[in-house]
Amino acid sequence: MGGLVRRAYNVCDWIAKVAILNLIWLLFTLAGLVVFGIVPATIALFTVVRKWTLSETDAPVFRVFFETFKKEFLRGNLLGLFIIAIGFFLFYDLKLVLSISGSLQFVLGVPLLIIIGCYLLVLLYIFPVYVTFELKFLNYFKYALYMSLLNLHITIFMMIAIVLLWTLLTFLPGFIPFFGVSVIAVITMFSATGAFQRIENKQMKYNA
């Protein structure tokens, strides 16, 4: 009976932590007027979740979040600007290709769709990579794509889990302010950590 109560307490504790983290993310995103706050806040959110993946579950959530938000404010906004610029460029190119008729649309459209697919894969891994590794700026994007392609089964799991989560939240919209972003971060970070560990283990075996 005591074990059951302890497990129930642990589950409730995790739910509370995830909900609080989502609210803190919203607070700091709004504090940065959304445009300047969303990426640093997301980096801070993933930093907290990474500590959870390392079993540092007792780390002070607000302090870690606040310190990371301050530290990564400028660099995080640069990262966000880069992501948005590439996204707008690809969106404009897609509109342009769709306006073309005939075989040229196919010739230009296929490679463009492949590039857009790679861009979406980078978005899936960019924050876990950013908070886990110390790399040169452009290498974050290269490494995110590299990890997504080398761990396709994990990448597919992440995509399916995120789609299922948001499908569920569409039926329970009242939960979005409490779990909409933080649960996605938990799914993505824990999955990505497994992907990183898998590659690291392969490299160790190769070098042995």
Side-chain angles (χ1 to χ4, degrees):
M1 185 65 180
L4 182 62
V5 172
R6 192 179 303 109
R7 283 194 291 271
Y9 171 81
N10 288 336
V11 169
C12 292
D13 185 53
W14 265 101
I15 292 172
K17 283 182 176 179
V18 171
I20 290 168
L21 182 58
N22 204 92
L23 291 173
I24 294 172
W25 178 86
L26 281 173
L27 174 65
F28 278 83
T29 298
L30 293 173
L33 302 177
V34 179
V35 175
F36 300 108
I38 188 167
V39 176
T42 303
I43 291 171
L45 180 144
F46 272 89
T47 300
V48 172
V49 176
R50 180 172 180 265
K51 287 188 175 293
W52 293 349
T53 68
L54 299 174
S55 300
E56 298 178 29
T57 53
D58 294 329
V61 172
F62 188 85
R63 190 177 76 188
V64 171
F65 197 106
F66 180 62
E67 290 176 354
T68 306
F69 183 86
K70 287 194 303 179
K71 178 185 173 185
E72 298 292 343
F73 187 81
L74 293 178
R75 199 162 181 243
N77 275 297
L78 178 62
L79 179 71
L81 181 63
F82 200 78
I83 290 170
I84 292 169
I86 294 173
F88 270 114
F89 179 77
L90 291 175
F91 177 73
Y92 176 79
D93 282 353
L94 182 61
K95 285 186 65 177
L96 185 63
V97 168
L98 290 176
S99 68
I100 300 171
S101 59
S103 59
L104 184 59
Q105 184 185 80
F106 178 80
V107 171
L108 296 176
V110 171
L112 179 60
L113 289 176
I114 293 172
I115 294 170
I116 290 173
C118 290
Y119 173 75
L120 295 175
L121 291 177
V122 168
L123 291 185
L124 201 59
Y125 277 82
I126 189 66
F127 290 106
V129 167
Y130 188 88
V131 302
T132 302
F133 303 100
E134 287 289 337
L135 304 170
K136 292 181 179 179
F137 186 76
L138 291 179
N139 285 344
Y140 285 112
F141 297 90
K142 295 177 185 178
Y143 207 70
L145 181 60
Y146 171 76
M147 282 295 170
S148 67
L149 294 176
L150 285 183
N151 299 279
L152 273 178
H153 62 297
I154 296 176
T155 302
I156 292 169
F157 166 78
M158 289 165 66
M159 291 189 290
I160 292 173
I162 291 170
V163 169
L164 289 176
L165 171 65
W166 271 98
T167 301
L168 177 63
L169 289 175
T170 57
F171 294 100
L172 302 166
F175 286 95
I176 292 176
F178 301 98
F179 302 104
V181 177
S182 58
V183 174
I184 290 176
V186 169
I187 292 170
T188 306
M189 192 70 232
F190 273 82
S191 301
T193 300
F196 302 155
Q197 189 63 53
R198 180 172 174 267
I199 298 300
E200 185 179 337
N201 291 340
K202 282 189 173 183
Q203 289 175 339
M204 289 175 65
K205 288 180 181 179
Y206 179 80
N207 295 327

